[in-house]
Amino acid sequence: RRRDGRAAPWSAGVLVDVRGGTRSLAAGDVRVEPRGTWRSQRTGVGYPAGWGLTDLRGGHTLDSEPRLADQELDVGTRYWEGAVEAHGLEGTRTVLGAGYVELVGYDDRLPAKR
């Protein structure tokens, strides 16, 4: 993400269905709303923790939460990456899922991305 909170040009995702089929998701295909915050006790960096996702092309609405809150890495660049669980709807059908999220750009030590 950019300093102003907007999605970076490389923000993207992939939706994988139960049969293994995939569909690429560009930043404009999905609306993401943070549901909470987690702050690292080691580094003091705060990250979104839990997200509401709306797939604007495919009709999915999902709530996603980290499997573990503390999945921060501090390896020169601080970032959060880890496993998430999801539940929601595809149209009117209930769906459950799992995923992986990587969050970069929340550490104030980083120069602004342009």
Side-chain angles (χ1 to χ4, degrees):
R1 78 170 175 88
R2 295 176 183 260
R3 284 252 183 247
D4 65 5
R6 291 181 301 133
W10 51 86
S11 295
V14 175
L15 182 66
V16 181
D17 67 30
V18 70
R19 293 180 239 22
T22 62
R23 181 166 53 89
S24 295
L25 300 169
D29 295 336
V30 178
R31 185 175 61 234
V32 179
E33 299 172 20
R35 299 280 198 233
T37 303
W38 174 80
R39 184 164 302 280
S40 169
Q41 292 183 358
R42 289 183 311 281
T43 65
V45 177
Y47 301 91
W51 306 268
L53 296 101
T54 304
D55 176 0
L56 301 173
R57 287 183 8 205
H60 297 86
T61 56
L62 300 170
D63 285 312
S64 180
E65 297 180 2
R67 289 190 177 204
L68 297 169
D70 187 351
Q71 298 185 75
E72 181 188 48
L73 295 172
D74 186 4
V75 291
T77 297
R78 294 175 183 164
Y79 62 101
W80 188 99
E81 67 173 8
V84 296
E85 295 177 346
H87 62 277
L89 297 173
E90 179 182 19
T92 59
R93 186 173 65 102
T94 299
V95 293
L96 301 173
Y100 174 85
V101 171
E102 185 173 309
L103 302 172
V104 180
Y106 292 87
D107 185 350
D108 289 337
R109 297 180 312 157
L110 298 174
K113 303 279 187 211
R114 299 255 185 251

